[in-house]
Amino acid sequence: LKHRDLRFANREDEAAFRKSNEEQSVVPVGVGSAFAAITLSFVVLGNYGQECRRQDAPYNWAMDDPRTASFFAGFSSMALFGISFLLVLIRMRVGYMLVGNLEQMA
């Protein structure tokens, strides 16, 4: 097969195309990240509080407790979604990171 170059003829046209599609490609990432971070915060913090209040085996941060891996994964996911939301918010509102290509990051 012959290799076809589907890029734009010049960089200005490519930049204008990316700018025109920015809201419909970046905003859903921010909304989804915010929704996931909020949902995870309710689930993970609720489970964490419930496990800490248990009378029979209250939770302590210990490596031999299997709940530690679960809570670490939950808190890490919550942080990553929160950071993703903040990056999108900074990009849209403040105007930082406009030269970055989010298509390559995704």
Side-chain angles (χ1 to χ4, degrees), residues 18-19 22 25-26 91 95-106:
R18 277 197 310 215
K19 182 68 176 167
E22 183 174 11
S25 61
V26 175
R91 180 183 175 115
Y96 290 136
M97 299 178 297
L98 290 177
V99 294
N101 187 356
L102 289 181
E103 293 172 357
Q104 292 176 348
M105 290 172 42

Side-chain angles (χ1 to χ4, degrees), residues 14-58:
E14 183 177 359
F17 176 75
R18 277 197 310 215
K19 182 68 176 167
S20 69
N21 290 329
E22 183 174 11
E23 279 206 28
Q24 63 185 349
S25 61
V26 175
V27 171
V29 171
V31 171
S33 296
F35 179 74
I38 291 169
T39 302
L40 276 172
S41 68
F42 280 114
V43 171
V44 173
L45 293 175
N47 287 342
Y48 180 73
Q50 185 178 15
E51 290 294 323
C52 287
R53 288 189 300 271
R54 284 180 59 173
Q55 297 297 324
D56 58 343

Side-chain angles (χ1 to χ4, degrees), residues 54-65:
R54 284 180 59 173
Q55 297 297 324
D56 58 343
Y59 175 69
N60 295 343
W61 284 93
M63 292 304 291
D64 59 341
D65 193 342

